[in-house]
Amino acid sequence: MPLSNSQSSQKMNQFDVIIVGSGAAGLYSALCLPSHLQIAIVTKDAIKTGSSSWAQGGVAAAMALDDSPKFHLEDTLKAGAGLCDSEAVEFLVENAATSIESLLKIGVAFDRHGENLAFTKEAAHSHSRVLHAADTTGRTIINTITEKVLERPNIQILSQAFVLSLWKTGSRIQGVNLLHENQIIWIKASAVILATGGGGQVYAHTTNPQVSTGDGVALAWRSGAILRDLEFFQFHPTGLNKENAPHFLISEAVRGEGAHLVDSSGYRFAFDYHPDGELAPRDVVSRAIFDHLESNTSDAFPKFVYLDLRPIPTERINYRFPNIIKVCQNYGIDPHSEPIPVAPAAHYWMGGIATDLRGQTSIPGLYAIGETASTGVHGANRLASNSLLECLVFAAQLSQIEIDNNSFVTSSITSTDESRTWDNETEAILALRASLPELMWHSAGISRSEELLEQAIAKVSFFKEKLTNTDIGQYLLNLVPDKTIKFQSPNAEKQLRLAAETLNLIDASYLILKSAAWRKESRGGHYRRDYPQTSEDWQVHTLIQDNRIWQSPPLISRLAHNVA
């Protein structure tokens, strides 16, 4: 049944904790949980395939002599545009140094200047506080954490396994419903931790990997959890824009080191939109590119701008950005002699499943960590390099998790074989999946309006109805935890995963659209051209549970009251 790490091959259908996702949040959570607990890490691909491995810039921590958590707090609150939870941000920055020390202790090799850790400055940071490992920081952290996870005999890794639904009895989570090795299996756990990452694949242009399909948010929503601030999606200004190339992220650190953002004439246009130019907050830079391209509609004007690294000394470029140089050269671009064509792409989802400072959601037994969670630290616009830090700081709190094995509801699970397939429905589901990202990009992308949002809500609702009215859709919606199902056809698993993942994309898209239509202002990563101003009346969280949407009480900005 489950695939395991190198230390164990024991077959199990019950764990103390199930972690869904194998990025930095999921892997580090497994290391932080008490070692006497039996833990399963469920990953729908192989480990090391999530967004964390793609993180280039680094991880922020106020550890330099001229820096302090107070400055980090102020920068984070400012970037969050009034929607950060001050308590959560204070918790994040005060625990940053401890988290970095924990990584150093297990062998993460950050860059150094002599014996001292090296820090760089990124957009919207007042100080140099971003630790890095060349331009592959995420990969370095993931590789080290993975090695430690594989050494733990209490941790099993279930790869190529897809969670179809959460197993909920009454008000409490009991485990998960898993699609694995051509079977549907119900696995019990006292706690389930969602660490599934973001949902960038709802958009046609994204820096996210293929696995980022909003699974955690969709699973939690269908189980009745409270979600928060789903309209806030960060669009990274500088994704590689080259035909037949992925939207590879060109790190913000490149601009921090001195790269210029220019148009086809070589003009540094970003200063026309913000005094900080290319070092303004990400949403400002993304919108500057979008507006600059929209204002130049001639066929001769390219639909992208350029990132020029040539102002940076060659030795510095080679030392700091070897992976970026390598990827660009693989696609016929030499950053040493020519600028890189770039355009905005969906990058990071600020909203997610609402949690407290321990990662606990509104459902007993269900936790969320990392990008799929909304801890309150990012507000309306994430400060660069706070995402890896959030994974580390909040995962560390799981060392205090309370496991209630007495909460299990006894049930008898039988086993049955099924020969069904859904060959005749696959093409229609693929068509839905192909049209959804373009719809979202044009309706809920960098610039939004009520007319486009409402039209898209109707279209996505139609997609949902069309999918759930298929035989495979009905099959997924009517699974009950009373039997393990083994499919005779080798195509069944692939078809079920396609349908379930498409359902997650549709639900995630619907939630983004509903939240974006609800918030009638512009703030952070949410820009409404029909409501272009930020309103004090909307300094509130957007909350969703089931089909209900409402506002939190007004938030008080710490910045307006002199941060202590």
Side-chain angles (χ1 to χ4, degrees):
M1 184 188 97
L3 299 177
S4 66
N5 66 14
S6 59
Q7 300 297 314
S8 176
S9 60
Q10 181 182 5
K11 293 174 64 174
M12 301 179 68
N13 62 4
Q14 181 171 320
F15 295 86
D16 294 306
V17 180
I18 295 173
I19 300 170
V20 187
S22 62
L27 293 171
Y28 197 64
S29 293
L31 290 183
C32 293
L33 287 165
S35 59
H36 67 274
L37 298 178
Q38 291 300 313
I39 301 164
I41 298 177
V42 176
T43 176
K44 65 180 181 179
D45 206 323
I47 55 176
K48 305 184 184 179
T49 55
S51 294
S52 300
S53 293
W54 295 27
Q56 301 169 11
V59 53
M63 299 173 68
L65 293 178
D66 64 340
D67 200 3
S68 77
K70 173 191 172 183
F71 298 143
H72 192 180
L73 173 71
E74 292 173 344
D75 293 344
T76 302
L77 293 177
K78 184 177 180 180
L83 289 194
C84 293
D85 286 341
S86 299
E87 181 185 4
V89 178
E90 192 165 0
F91 184 80
L92 178 79
V93 300
E94 292 289 348
N95 285 280
T98 301
S99 293
I100 297 302
E101 292 294 342
S102 297
L103 291 185
L104 293 171
K105 191 175 295 185
I106 64 173
V108 174
F110 290 111
D111 290 344
R112 292 179 179 268
H113 289 313
E115 293 297 315
N116 298 320
L117 290 168
F119 299 94
T120 192
K121 186 178 180 181
E122 292 188 356
H125 286 271
S126 60
H127 291 69
S128 295
R129 66 168 65 97
V130 179
L131 295 99
H132 47 81
D135 59 349
T136 56
T137 308
R139 187 187 308 163
T140 299
I141 292 173
I142 289 291
N143 287 347
T144 305
I145 295 174
T146 300
E147 290 176 8
K148 297 301 178 184
V149 164
L150 294 175
E151 293 172 0
R152 297 284 183 91
N154 67 312
I155 301 173
Q156 291 196 53
I157 297 176
L158 286 65
S159 60
Q160 306 296 332
F162 189 83
V163 175
L164 297 174
S165 64
L166 300 177
W167 183 358
K168 186 181 176 188
T169 303
S171 63
R172 187 177 180 86
I173 292 298
Q174 292 286 315
V176 300
N177 175 13
L178 196 66
L179 180 64
H180 180 52
E181 293 185 344
N182 224 32
Q183 297 180 84
I184 291 178
I185 309 160
W186 297 85
I187 303 180
K188 291 184 177 182
S190 296
V192 173
I193 300 170
L194 296 175
T196 54
Q201 289 297 323
V202 304
Y203 289 106
H205 308 289
T206 181
T207 63
N208 289 187
Q210 289 293 325
V211 294
S212 299
T213 51
D215 300 333
V217 166
L219 288 168
W221 179 57
R222 293 197 295 268
S223 294
I226 295 175
L227 311 177
R228 181 167 57 197
D229 293 342
L230 298 176
E231 65 269 38
F232 294 107
F233 216 111
Q234 190 174 76
F235 295 87
H236 199 285
T238 53
L240 176 64
N241 194 287
K242 182 76 182 290
E243 190 175 356
N244 298 321
H247 293 283
F248 177 76
L249 184 150
I250 309 297
S251 171
E252 204 148 32
V254 174
R255 285 174 283 135
E257 291 286 350
H260 294 170
L261 194 62
V262 299
D263 63 18
S264 58
S265 68
Y267 177 58
R268 292 178 71 183
F269 62 90
F271 287 95
D272 294 347
Y273 299 88
H274 194 280
D276 290 338
E278 49 266 289
L279 289 180
R282 287 177 175 175
D283 64 302
V284 175
V285 179
S286 291
R287 206 152 49 245
I289 296 172
F290 181 86
D291 290 344
H292 193 66
L293 294 176
E294 286 287 299
S295 66
N296 294 273
T297 56
S298 70
D299 293 338
F301 198 86
K303 297 305 178 188
F304 50 83
V305 294
Y306 296 91
L307 195 59
D308 192 350
L309 276 64
R310 290 173 294 183
I312 308 173
T314 301
E315 317 79 59
R316 184 67 178 168
I317 293 175
N318 293 335
Y319 166 68
R320 281 287 285 117
F321 309 115
N323 191 51
I324 290 174
I325 300 300
K326 179 181 177 182
V327 170
C328 287
Q329 290 176 340
N330 285 344
Y331 290 101
I333 304 163
D334 182 7
H336 295 105
S337 60
E338 61 184 321
I340 304 169
V342 295
H347 182 55
Y348 190 91
W349 203 355
M350 271 79 71
I353 309 160
T355 72
D356 62 17
L357 297 184
R358 298 176 297 113
Q360 174 70 59
T361 72
S362 60
I363 299 177
L366 182 65
Y367 297 78
I369 299 290
E371 190 172 351
T372 198
S374 173
T375 61
V377 301
H378 301 310
N381 192 28
R382 175 181 67 96
L383 182 67
S385 292
N386 268 355
S387 52
L388 280 174
L389 179 64
E390 180 193 29
C391 291
L392 303 171
V393 168
F394 287 90
Q397 301 312 298
L398 294 172
S399 63
Q400 305 171 39
I401 196 169
E402 296 180 2
I403 297 298
D404 181 11
N405 286 320
N406 295 320
S407 64
F408 281 136
V409 174
T410 302
S411 60
S412 176
I413 298 179
T414 60
S415 180
T416 185
D417 290 356
E418 290 191 2
S419 58
R420 71 174 70 210
T421 59
W422 297 272
D423 298 339
N424 61 329
E425 295 181 339
T426 300
E427 187 175 341
I429 295 172
L430 285 170
L432 286 179
R433 183 161 180 160
S435 57
L436 182 67
E438 287 292 344
L439 174 68
M440 287 296 292
W441 182 256
H442 292 293
S443 303
I446 294 170
S447 184
R448 304 162 174 179
S449 70
E450 183 165 2
E451 181 181 8
L452 288 177
L453 290 168
E454 293 297 339
Q455 289 174 356
I457 289 170
K459 195 71 176 288
V460 170
S461 298
F462 170 73
F463 289 171
K464 175 75 173 280
E465 182 180 5
K466 193 169 182 180
L467 176 57
T468 55
N469 282 338
T470 61
D471 288 342
I472 196 170
Q474 286 295 304
Y475 187 85
L476 286 170
L477 293 176
N478 291 300
L479 291 169
V480 292
D482 62 355
K483 61 183 176 181
T484 294
I485 301 168
K486 183 168 181 61
F487 296 99
Q488 300 300 308
S489 168
N491 293 327
E493 179 176 358
K494 184 185 297 185
Q495 292 163 351
L496 281 167
R497 172 166 168 167
L498 170 65
E501 202 169 55
T502 302
L503 178 62
N504 289 345
L505 284 164
I506 289 172
D507 283 346
S509 297
Y510 174 80
L511 292 164
I512 292 170
L513 291 164
K514 288 291 286 188
S515 300
W518 170 261
R519 182 174 290 274
K520 292 176 171 55
E521 66 155 357
S522 292
R523 183 187 297 266
H526 168 71
Y527 181 75
R528 290 277 300 262
R529 57 178 177 265
D530 48 351
Y531 294 96
Q533 303 302 317
T534 300
S535 169
E536 289 186 7
D537 294 339
W538 284 96
Q539 193 170 339
V540 294
H541 292 305
T542 302
L543 301 169
I544 291 182
Q545 185 179 35
D546 299 322
N547 292 317
R548 179 186 172 213
I549 185 168
W550 74 100
Q551 296 177 349
S552 73
L555 302 174
I556 299 174
S557 173
R558 284 276 298 273
L559 287 178
H561 293 80
N562 297 320
V563 179

